[in-house]
Amino acid sequence: MATTATPTAAVGTEPDPAGLPAVLSVVHLVGITEAGMEGLALHLAGRGARVSGSAHSDEVGGRVADRLRAAGVSVQGQLAEAEVGELSAMVWSRAVARPHPELDAALSHRVPVLARSHALALTCAEFDGGSGLAAVWGSHSTATASAALAHLLDDGRTGWILNTPAPDAPAGHHGAARLVVDFSPDTATHETVPASPAYLPPGALARPTPAPAAMLITAIDPTAPHHEDLPAALAMAEHQARTASTVVVPDIAWWNKPLTFLRERLADRVGPEVVTVGYSSRCGVRITELERVDGGGYWAELRYGKTKVRSVVPATGLHHAVMATCAVATALVLGEDPDALAQRLARFGGVEGSMQRLGTRRGVTVVRSRARHVSEVARDLQAAGELADRGSVIAVLEPDGYARTRVQADSLGAALDRGHRAVLLPVAAGLPVLDVEDPLEAVAAAARKSLPAERVHTVRTGPSSPSAEEIVAGHAKDGDVVLVIGTHRAPAVAERLLALLDTTP
């Protein structure tokens, strides 16, 4: 998956988008550096659309913005109002939940304003039918699965739109024959799910329903603010599944029990073909071997009818290996050559920031995790324990969103018992001011039920308060693994921790 995104048309030239609706020919993305938006921007640029975007001041000069500019996408703090009238559409990220002047300007100029999900559906329309569209959906755990599927299907004619890219690979790419899309709604930290779309001209832009040839559904769980309870999550999963020709579903006892309910629902009436993936002989794709190997990774063997795939899965943590294996199963369902799949799987580099080793200083290894749902947090902590052969695990957790943290506080606190010490960062919030009770103390209280109170630290901003990296550096010992979990401020904490360990004797 070392493909380089194709630059967009130069500013001032007429775009010639390959198969795109006219409404996406000259498009501006609000919140372009947010998860999910980068991939969409790169894919549209690769298809010849003229793409621009705006980002928060902290992100305009950041790494994601630089990647976009390298692909010919203009990134700035705010689009001038005079330029808004030249757009065919404006797309906004759900992470932008507050009022925004660019959206107001678009409305005043009667420029269509689309939610990302609407723009994504329009983008996929060209690939519907046959084996042109492959998708991944789930309440969580889609990042590894979708990145692996894009990598496995990357034959030079396959494109993708991912919420999180693989290391050193673009989050989006255009391929003429096929498209892989991560349809997970859980792309970024936010507190609400705003209505979609914001503005459409009368009689224009009906939203198509993508029809994937195959859809891998990874997990079904309540995920505030998207799915407040299991029935809501299950209803959405069934809706997504019935848009596909074939649905690929894990059938592993410890993985995700609600997937059983989905399989039962799909069996109740005529619908898509359901292919299960698991260890049982009754599974459509059988995992006959998935064992951890010395030096890291797993050895996997899968059987699909008379077809067999045997390969190393370069993953940290059994749960990530399972998702990569399910991606292989989806590729087999689509008719991919098993030998080619085995070769590509062995080269899969994982997901940027997901169980990614950043470095070792003073014998202390720092690892990043993008986990946001409690199930992902617990499993990444368990995987970190496998890395700490002769030491302990220190968890640095940035809870994701007030709405989600309030619901998951007890479970998050309980999950932290997989580590030896917990350092809790302030909750990442999608809005700058929230008149609600801070749920961080509830997480800390739950953590202290299984960890000694002196091993649970909450980080508060203040001139005399120690930073997270100072707390960790003061307790970390040779052989320890520090797992830094989160996607907002957490990555910067990980980098500062490495620098501090470098300078601390």
Side-chain angles (χ1 to χ4, degrees):
M1 203 166 153
T3 316
T4 303
T6 306
T8 186
V11 176
T13 65
E14 288 300 318
D16 182 23
L20 279 173
V23 72
L24 294 178
S25 61
V26 185
V27 64
H28 181 81
L29 281 65
V30 180
I32 195 169
T33 56
E34 298 289 344
M37 294 290 271
E38 178 193 5
L40 178 61
L42 290 172
H43 177 81
L44 292 174
R47 287 173 73 172
R50 189 184 305 156
V51 184
S52 62
S54 56
H56 190 273
S57 57
D58 293 344
E59 298 291 336
V60 170
R63 187 170 53 178
V64 175
D66 288 344
R67 289 196 300 237
L68 288 163
R69 291 189 186 100
V73 177
S74 170
V75 182
Q76 54 197 299
Q78 183 174 320
L79 189 67
E81 185 166 352
E83 299 177 79
V84 172
E86 301 175 5
L87 299 175
S88 61
M90 186 174 287
V91 180
W92 57 285
S93 164
R94 287 178 171 184
V96 182
R98 63 182 71 87
H100 199 287
E102 289 179 318
L103 299 178
D104 295 338
L107 293 176
S108 67
H109 285 274
R110 299 184 65 79
V111 171
V113 176
L114 310 176
R116 174 185 175 273
S117 57
H118 193 153
L120 195 59
L122 291 168
T123 304
C124 292
E126 174 73 10
F127 296 91
D128 284 345
S131 59
L133 182 62
V136 178
W137 186 92
S139 301
H140 55 80
S141 303
T142 63
T144 296
S146 55
L149 185 58
H151 178 79
L152 292 165
L153 297 180
D154 184 12
D155 56 0
R157 304 182 69 236
T158 296
W160 55 83
I161 302 173
L162 305 178
N163 293 337
T164 311
D168 302 319
H173 175 68
H174 171 52
R178 185 162 50 190
L179 179 63
V180 178
V181 180
D182 184 346
F183 278 141
S184 170
D186 195 24
T187 57
T189 300
H190 46 84
E191 308 302 338
T192 60
V193 183
S196 161
Y199 169 72
L200 294 177
L205 298 175
R207 175 174 172 169
T209 299
M215 176 180 286
L216 168 60
I217 297 187
T218 60
I220 304 171
D221 277 310
T223 309
H226 310 286
H227 314 124
E228 293 293 341
D229 54 27
L230 182 57
L234 189 57
M236 178 56 70
E238 182 180 4
H239 169 75
Q240 292 289 338
R242 292 194 179 279
T243 66
S245 299
T246 302
V247 178
V248 180
V249 184
D251 184 7
I252 300 171
W254 57 268
W255 178 253
N256 182 254
K257 291 183 180 179
L259 287 171
T260 303
F261 303 141
L262 175 64
R263 295 196 299 271
E264 292 172 351
R265 285 193 177 195
L266 294 176
D268 281 345
R269 57 190 176 92
V270 176
E273 178 187 4
V274 178
V275 177
T276 55
V277 186
Y279 298 99
S280 171
S281 58
R282 70 174 184 273
C283 291
V285 178
R286 186 181 178 191
I287 303 172
T288 53
E289 192 173 355
L290 189 58
E291 298 292 337
R292 190 180 176 205
V293 297
D294 293 338
Y298 291 78
W299 176 255
E301 180 179 283
L302 288 81
R303 294 180 181 271
Y304 178 51
K306 295 182 180 180
T307 302
K308 180 167 66 175
V309 175
R310 303 176 76 241
S311 176
V312 170
V313 184
T316 300
L318 179 59
H319 57 305
H320 291 296
V322 165
M323 285 294 92
T325 301
C326 288
V328 175
T330 307
L332 286 171
V333 167
L334 288 169
E336 288 296 297
D337 177 69
D339 293 333
L341 290 178
Q343 293 173 17
R344 293 171 189 163
L345 180 60
R347 298 192 300 268
F348 178 52
V351 173
E352 184 178 81
S354 179
M355 295 307 295
Q356 183 178 12
R357 301 189 200 194
L358 301 182
T360 300
R361 307 287 189 276
R362 285 174 30 199
V364 178
T365 301
V366 180
V367 180
R368 262 198 68 194
S369 164
R370 299 188 63 90
R372 295 166 64 223
H373 191 277
V374 63
S375 296
E376 297 173 312
V377 171
R379 288 169 179 163
D380 274 6
L381 277 167
Q382 185 173 347
E386 296 175 5
L387 298 176
D389 290 333
R390 56 188 178 85
S392 302
V393 174
I394 299 176
V396 180
L397 172 65
E398 180 184 37
D400 183 70
Y402 278 65
R404 187 195 306 259
T405 305
R406 186 171 60 249
V407 173
Q408 297 184 353
D410 288 345
S411 299
L412 277 173
L416 293 171
D417 71 354
R418 290 163 174 79
H420 177 76
R421 186 177 299 274
V423 179
L424 302 177
L425 303 177
V427 176
L431 295 174
V433 178
L434 293 171
D435 187 19
V436 296
E437 182 180 352
D438 185 351
L440 189 65
E441 285 303 324
V443 178
R448 291 184 183 112
K449 292 179 181 178
S450 51
L451 290 174
E454 65 272 14
R455 293 189 198 161
V456 180
H457 311 264
T458 55
V459 177
R460 298 296 186 185
T461 56
S464 60
S465 301
S467 66
E469 54 269 27
E470 289 171 337
I471 294 171
V472 174
H475 291 92
K477 298 179 177 60
D478 183 21
D480 285 353
V481 170
V482 181
L483 184 67
V484 184
I485 308 165
T487 58
H488 189 48
R489 297 183 182 89
V493 170
E495 296 295 340
R496 292 197 301 269
L497 174 59
L498 282 172
L500 182 59
L501 290 172
D502 255 340
T503 59
T504 305

